[in-house]
Amino acid sequence: MAEVMKCDCCDRPAVVHETRVRNGETHEIHLCEMHAKEAGLTVPGQAPIDEVLTQFVVSKGSRKPRASHNTCPTCGMSFAKFRRIGVVGCPDCYDAFEKHLGPMIERAQNGGTSHCGKCPRRGGASIDRQLRMQRLIKDLEDAVAAEQYERAAELRDRIQALEAEVPAVEPDSAAAPERA
């Protein structure tokens, strides 16, 4: 015949049996219904199975899954699937996953939070010059904020030199010569 476990706090039969591992040491706890309730533990037979399983998982020291359970309301794509395949399912996915996509896009764009598009090949030097100017101004602001004044002076001189350059005239914008 099986031996009935006694409560660690009294002589009543134990109905809750829990094993906890802390710092590599195993501790077994056996409690009667009354002492289990006092300890805040769920007594078997009184809780739905999902609560019992949750308590079991928590007592084992398991951590929550990292992936988000968000899904796009339009196409039904989950964030986990997006992470796996790397492509969103529809335009509404950007709104559904905004909280997660924002930091990812910012990292991919080296801190940029908005996308201005690509430079057209025919845009020529004026667009490249404009982009270089924007990059130099941002670098200058960062250098001043970091109190790197020598670097800031160098960047300032490069900006002034770039401003002094005459932008190349685009074929589309070439005007007819003026007559005097």
Side-chain angles (χ1 to χ4, degrees), residues 113-131:
T113 56
S114 62
H115 180 67
C116 300
K118 294 183 180 179
C119 296
R121 292 179 193 255
R122 69 178 187 275
S126 64
I127 292 176
D128 289 339
R129 183 176 169 273
Q130 210 174 7
L131 290 174

Side-chain angles (χ1 to χ4, degrees), residues 10 20 24 29 50 56 64 66 71 82 84 92 100 164 180:
C10 65
R20 294 182 182 176
I29 300 170
D50 61 336
F56 174 75
K64 289 183 179 179
R66 214 174 48 136
T71 57
F82 161 74
R84 197 170 50 254
D92 293 333
H100 303 289

Side-chain angles (χ1 to χ4, degrees), residues 59-72:
S59 71
K60 294 296 181 188
S62 178
R63 59 188 182 120
K64 289 183 179 179
R66 214 174 48 136
S68 171
H69 296 293
N70 293 354
T71 57
C72 175

Side-chain angles (χ1 to χ4, degrees), residues 31-92:
L31 300 173
C32 66
E33 186 176 338
M34 182 180 78
H35 287 109
K37 286 180 183 177
E38 286 177 4
L41 300 173
T42 306
V43 179
Q46 292 184 340
I49 189 69
D50 61 336
E51 287 181 24
V52 174
L53 290 174
T54 301
Q55 182 181 358
F56 174 75
V57 170
V58 169
S59 71
K60 294 296 181 188
S62 178
R63 59 188 182 120
K64 289 183 179 179
R66 214 174 48 136
S68 171
H69 296 293
N70 293 354
T71 57
C72 175
T74 305
C75 69
M77 176 179 274
S78 68
F79 184 72
K81 184 175 180 183
F82 161 74
R83 293 286 302 222
R84 197 170 50 254
I85 64 173
V87 179
V88 294
C90 72
D92 293 333

